[in-house]
Amino acid sequence: MAPEQLFQFILSISILVILHELGHFIPAKLFKTKVEKFYLFFDPWFSIAKKKIGETEYGIGWLPFGGYVKIAGMVDESMDTDQLKKPAEPWEFRSKPAWQRLIIMLGGVTVNFFLAWLIYSCLSYFKGEKYYDNSKFEAGIAVTPEGEKMGLKTGDKILKIDGKPAERMQTSIMNMLFANNVTVLRDGKEVTFPVNEDGVAEVLKANEAKLYFSNRFPAVVDSIAPNLPAAAMGLKKGDKIIEINNQPTQYYDQVTTALLQNAGKPITVKVDRNNQVETLQTTLGKDGKLGFGINGALAQKELDKTQVVKSYTFLESIPRGFERTIDVLVMQVKQFKIIFNSKTEGYKKVSGPIGIIKQMPETINWEFFWSFTAMFSVWLAFLNLIPIPGLDGGHVVFTLWELITGKPVPQKVLENAQMIGVIFLLGLMVLIFGNDIVKWITGRF
């Protein structure tokens, strides 16, 4: 874990927590509600720094898992109910009209949503968007066995996912994992097929969520492994494999398929060497491996041919920022389809802070940083709206109940619900951190 990774994570979380809590703090102040504490990070037992200004103590805790504002007269995660046993004061949260309490509770997620919108709009305007265009994959895609189990085939051209045009490779890779059906151009015909959940499960288990399909590229040799058939037959760096046992191999995926089909057998390989065709012979082992590495730079060059750079004017960037925010929100909601699915076992892939830090670039990359911050801001908004006591969504549900029925939820019910919610969230935190620690120890990050 590089210091730059940790720095980017803490800076991003700090920005998000401070702005989220300001979303609660500002309306609370506007409605003349007393805010006792405003903390970046949590401070069980002690804090790194604190200072009281007016009626509010501002501080920085030592546990970097979030932050909080402690509003007087409110049942929150601190479970400080002593004040609630006394008659309500006019400056307490519980004394305010239900509509004011609702605005205070929704303030955090509202800030998170608009922050993401602002960041995505700025990224679209200042940086534009780069993506690989599926329609430019002239030879279609190369598919791993896990991708084939999902229903894809090598040579497919991706057209639609759940009936919507699939233009971008990067988003298609993720969207397909959550999709019901995919439409491809296969052998000159449009084919629509349901996504096989068993295939999605295989993709996740193989840690290939980003690799189950890619562009097709020629098999140009870059390196030769010693003591394997490639070395024995005289294969050289720069050779382009064009035929195996009279079977044309224009692309690398065709080479790997032909090798597996001829595992344990003698093979005749034709290569293009300096624009001359050379014929080589060897016998494959039972694993079907020839023993050569491909030219990764060439593969990337072929992929770069499909790259599109899209620019936006200032006026175009604003709706585009909103669209990107909604796209991220929809994708996060869809993730629950595989996280809680017994087949896909997506819950085993959920990462906590350690996993997230490991995903950060090892050098400071501000474009990635702001893109991550926007994505995480949407994620925080979504999570906080889940109607679980202990989260903003739980308070919102109880307040909406009061607005609809005209009767407040009994104080004892609020306290018990909050206790259950806190226990649940702590248990979830232990599970996620435990998963992180196991991955770290076993080297699976």
Side-chain angles (χ1 to χ4, degrees):
M1 186 187 301
E4 291 85 355
Q5 291 176 304
L6 185 61
F7 167 76
Q8 290 175 91
F9 175 75
I10 291 179
L11 179 60
S12 178
I13 294 300
S14 298
I15 291 170
L16 292 175
V17 168
I18 289 172
L19 293 178
H20 177 92
E21 300 306 335
L22 277 174
H24 297 305
F25 180 85
I26 292 173
K29 287 292 189 179
L30 289 175
F31 294 136
K32 302 187 184 307
T33 310
K34 182 179 179 180
V35 179
E36 297 175 348
K37 287 186 173 184
F38 186 117
Y39 263 73
L40 169 63
F41 306 148
F42 293 111
D43 61 326
W45 303 296
F46 68 94
S47 58
I48 294 174
K50 61 182 179 180
K51 182 177 179 61
K52 190 164 186 177
I53 302 174
E55 63 186 12
T56 305
E57 178 182 300
Y58 300 87
I60 301 175
W62 61 271
L63 198 60
F65 299 152
Y68 68 97
V69 288
K70 189 175 187 309
I71 301 175
M74 175 181 173
V75 180
D76 58 17
E77 58 273 11
S78 70
M79 297 307 298
D80 181 8
T81 58
D82 290 340
Q83 189 180 54
L84 304 179
K85 296 174 183 177
K86 303 173 185 178
E89 299 289 348
W91 36 262
E92 288 186 327
F93 180 80
R94 55 181 169 156
S95 298
K96 303 301 177 181
W99 66 270
Q100 291 186 4
R101 284 184 272 127
L102 184 63
I103 290 173
I104 293 171
M105 293 318 305
L106 287 174
V109 297
T110 302
V111 167
N112 281 137
F113 182 86
F114 279 99
L115 175 63
W117 184 359
L118 173 64
I119 293 173
Y120 279 131
S121 296
C122 289
L123 286 172
S124 297
Y125 178 65
F126 289 107
K127 293 292 184 179
E129 296 179 43
K130 295 179 182 178
Y131 60 91
Y132 300 116
D133 189 339
N134 289 326
S135 67
K136 293 182 180 292
F137 287 16
E138 295 180 0
I141 58 175
V143 184
T144 67
E146 293 80 12
E148 287 181 352
K149 197 166 185 179
M150 287 175 62
L152 294 167
K153 290 186 177 181
T154 293
D156 284 350
K157 290 187 177 181
I158 300 170
L159 302 177
K160 300 175 184 177
I161 298 176
D162 282 339
K164 296 180 180 179
E167 180 185 19
R168 307 180 183 214
M169 174 187 173
Q170 295 95 317
T171 52
S172 296
I173 286 172
M174 293 301 297
N175 286 337
M176 214 176 292
L177 296 176
F178 318 128
N180 294 313
N181 59 74
V182 175
T183 302
V184 299
L185 186 66
R186 181 177 295 168
D187 299 326
K189 298 179 181 178
E190 281 196 21
V191 177
T192 300
F193 60 87
V195 177
N196 188 328
E197 285 188 349
D198 291 334
V200 174
E202 290 297 320
V203 168
L204 294 176
K205 288 176 183 177
N207 288 319
E208 292 193 359
K210 296 182 179 179
L211 302 174
Y212 64 92
F213 79 81
S214 63
N215 62 309
R216 304 179 81 184
F217 50 87
V220 177
V221 177
D222 186 58
S223 59
I224 310 292
N227 305 318
L228 287 176
M233 72 191 296
L235 199 65
K236 294 182 178 180
K237 181 176 180 178
D239 285 351
K240 179 181 178 182
I241 301 174
I242 57 176
E243 190 177 290
I244 296 177
N245 281 359
N246 298 316
Q247 182 178 341
T249 54
Q250 185 179 0
Y251 301 104
Y252 175 71
D253 59 87
Q254 294 173 321
V255 171
T256 57
T257 299
L259 292 174
L260 288 172
Q261 289 173 347
N262 291 281
K265 301 176 183 178
I267 60 169
T268 299
V269 179
K270 288 185 179 181
V271 300
D272 181 338
R273 181 180 292 169
N274 299 323
N275 297 321
Q276 297 290 325
V277 176
E278 299 282 344
T279 301
L280 310 173
Q281 293 181 326
T282 190
T283 298
L284 290 174
K286 292 182 179 180
D287 59 4
K289 291 182 179 180
L290 197 55
F292 72 95
I294 60 169
N295 188 325
L298 178 63
Q300 184 62 47
K301 186 177 179 181
E302 290 295 313
L303 181 59
D304 288 343
K305 290 179 181 178
T306 71
Q307 189 177 75
V308 173
V309 181
K310 195 168 185 178
S311 300
Y312 294 89
T313 66
F314 177 76
L315 292 179
E316 290 172 336
S317 68
I318 297 172
R320 178 56 188 157
F322 180 82
E323 185 180 4
R324 291 176 72 176
T325 303
I326 297 299
D327 286 346
V328 171
L329 178 60
V330 170
M331 185 177 293
Q332 289 170 350
V333 173
K334 285 182 177 180
Q335 286 181 16
F336 279 79
K337 177 182 176 180
I338 59 176
I339 288 176
F340 296 109
N341 188 309
S342 58
K343 281 188 177 181
T344 60
E345 296 183 335
Y347 52 86
K348 293 183 179 180
K349 304 297 178 182
V350 175
S351 292
I354 299 174
I356 295 171
I357 292 170
K358 296 288 284 185
Q359 294 174 22
M360 294 287 185
E362 294 187 1
T363 56
I364 304 297
N365 183 327
W366 291 114
E367 186 173 353
F368 177 92
F369 171 84
W370 287 115
S371 182
F372 170 83
T373 300
M375 179 277 296
F376 211 66
S377 190
V378 178
W379 183 237
L380 287 177
F382 171 65
L383 284 182
N384 272 283
L385 271 182
I386 296 175
I388 297 174
L391 297 176
D392 295 344
H395 293 288
V396 168
V397 167
F398 290 131
T399 308
L400 286 174
W401 172 266
E402 182 178 343
L403 281 170
I404 294 169
T405 64
K407 297 179 180 179
V409 177
Q411 197 69 36
K412 198 65 180 176
V413 172
L414 290 176
E415 292 176 17
N416 291 336
Q418 188 73 14
M419 178 66 75
I420 293 170
V422 168
I423 293 172
F424 172 78
L425 292 173
L426 287 174
L428 188 62
M429 189 179 296
V430 169
L431 179 65
I432 292 173
F433 268 84
N435 198 23
D436 261 9
I437 293 168
V438 169
K439 286 181 183 178
W440 197 6
I441 293 173
T442 57
R444 286 188 286 128
F445 272 127

